[in-house]
Amino acid sequence: MSDTQRLADYRDYYWSRARRSAANPVYPETAAAERAMAEAVDAASSIEDLRATAIELSMEMGRALARDQANARAAVYAETAETVRAQGPAEVLASLETAADAPALASLLAAIEQRMSIAVTVDELTRLWATSLTTWENVEVWRTAQVPDRWKAELETYASDAVATAQDSWSQVEAEGRHHQPGWSFDPEVARAERHRRLVPVADEVFERRLAEHGSLVLGGR
C-alpha cells in the first residue's frame, strides 16, 4: 500500500471516529479531540508529516475519553448518592494530567479502578446486615408467641439457633471486610446512608428496630 493510500485510509478512519463521538452527547471532549485528530490527518501531506502530531493528539484523545467517562459516572453517582463509587471518577479527573504517555495513562486508570473495586466491595458488605431481616422477624415471633409453657423451650431453641447462625454468618462478613481493610467493622451510620438505606424496603421504624437487633443480637451477642 502506498503512503498516499494509507493517508487516505487514515482520513476515512479518523473522520468516522469523529462522527461517532459527535453523535453521543456523553462524550463532548472526546468528540473535540477526535475531530482535532481528523483535521490533523486532513492537513497532513504525508505519513511523516502526520507522525509529528499523531502521538500528542492520540494522547489527548485518551485523556478526553477518560475525562468524559469520569464526568458521566460522577454525574450518575452524585444523583444516586453513591459517595464511595464517586471517589473513583473524582480521582481520575484529578490525576489525568499527571500521565505523560499512553502506558502511564493506562496504568493510572487501572490502579484507580483496582483501588475503587476494593473500596466498593468493602462498602457493600454493610448491606449484608439486611439479609437477616427475616431471621429477626422469626426470632421475634418465636420469643413473643403466646403458647403453652411446654412449647416455649422449643421455640427458644429455634430462636437461639437462628441467632447463632446469624452470628456465624456475620463473622464471615467481618473476615472478608478485614481481609480488604484491616480493622473493618460494621457502622450503623453507614447502613443508614442513602445508598444502602434505599435497598431495604421497610418503614423507617422497622428499619431502625431491625438495625438495633443486628447490633444487640449479632454484634453484641458474641
Side-chain angles (χ1 to χ4, degrees), residues 8 15 22 47 74 112 142 154 158-159 174 179 203 212:
W15 276 115
I47 294 294
I112 293 173
W142 290 326
E154 183 176 347
Y158 296 159
E174 289 179 326
H179 172 72

Side-chain angles (χ1 to χ4, degrees), residues 26-77:
V26 175
Y27 295 98
E29 295 200 30
T30 301
E34 295 277 8
R35 183 176 182 85
M37 173 63 93
E39 290 173 346
V41 176
D42 259 358
S45 57
S46 65
I47 294 294
E48 290 72 20
D49 188 23
L50 178 60
R51 287 195 183 107
T53 57
I55 293 178
E56 180 180 350
L57 290 173
S58 293
M59 183 63 187
E60 188 49 44
M61 285 194 300
R63 285 199 189 98
L65 177 60
R67 193 176 294 113
D68 281 338
Q69 289 175 335
N71 280 324
R73 288 166 182 157
V76 171
Y77 296 151

Side-chain angles (χ1 to χ4, degrees), residues 74-88:
V76 171
Y77 296 151
E79 182 179 348
T80 56
E82 287 284 353
T83 55
V84 173
R85 291 177 183 273
Q87 294 170 17

